[in-house]
Amino acid sequence: MKGLLRSVALVAVGGVLILIASGREWSHTTVQIPAAAATHVAVTGNAVEPSLSALAIALLALAAGLIAARGVLRRIVGVVIVVIGATAVGVAVAGRGAVSSALTSHEVGGLAIPAHGSANGWWVVAALGAVLAVIAGALAAVRSGGWAAMGRKYDAPDPARPVVAKGDPSDTAWDALDRGEDPTA
């Protein structure tokens, strides 16, 4: 149980870190337009790398998937987390170098003015969140075989499993509820 909770928490924290970092200002600069006042230009992580938010949301959904899955499916979810986390690391690192082109793509006063700026530390926060997710996904892919799982009562009905008949000594109030009957009536 401890390994499952640790992995779910790491994936969720990683996804939240990426989501927060993608919404923050990654760079800003002041551009001097000829015959006009200086203008402040800034870009967020979403403007630099629009896929970061989607990757973060996918990681958050996969954190819930770790809880719901069991067995081989949980290992597959772990591998998918590793792949998405590694992609997010690559996107965050690439975003560090793409800041100047994102700044230049802004039009100021109807003119595309070349602007240069360096990335601040938010790309590192996004990369760190992605690395946490990769670690948690690898842990899930390798060690999830012995982790606790949700009960079988959440599974679809198994046609091979015999249904307890009404009046059978093993019939319980829970079985009556499963059949849609009110056991108190």
Side-chain angles (χ1 to χ4, degrees):
M1 184 75 158
K2 192 184 281 186
L4 173 62
L5 291 177
R6 186 176 299 134
S7 288
V8 169
L10 283 175
V11 172
V13 166
V16 167
L17 284 175
I18 296 168
L19 200 56
I20 289 171
S22 67
R24 299 295 182 246
E25 184 178 285
W26 279 27
S27 183
H28 64 275
T29 189
T30 303
V31 178
Q32 182 64 44
I33 301 172
T39 303
H40 180 74
V41 180
V43 290
T44 64
N46 286 327
V48 176
E49 292 292 346
S51 63
L52 272 177
S53 296
L55 293 169
I57 292 169
L59 288 173
L60 291 172
L62 288 167
L66 275 177
I67 295 170
R70 72 168 153 251
V72 175
L73 186 58
R74 186 177 279 165
R75 291 178 190 266
I76 292 170
V77 170
V79 170
V80 172
I81 290 170
V82 169
V83 170
I84 291 177
T87 302
V89 169
V91 168
V93 171
R96 177 180 179 239
V99 167
S100 286
S101 64
L103 284 168
T104 301
S105 70
H106 282 63
E107 287 189 6
V108 179
L111 301 171
I113 304 293
H116 300 287
S118 59
N120 58 24
W122 284 110
W123 74 272
V124 176
V125 174
L128 176 66
V131 168
L132 288 175
V134 168
I135 292 169
L139 181 67
V142 173
R143 294 197 173 166
S144 67
W147 292 352
M150 292 175 68
R152 296 233 181 249
K153 75 178 197 174
Y154 298 105
D155 288 350
D158 185 7
R161 187 173 132 207
V163 177
V164 178
K166 187 175 181 179
D168 188 337
S170 64
D171 187 25
T172 65
W174 294 113
D175 295 326
L177 286 172
D178 287 343
R179 290 191 302 269
E181 300 170 1
D182 183 3
T184 60

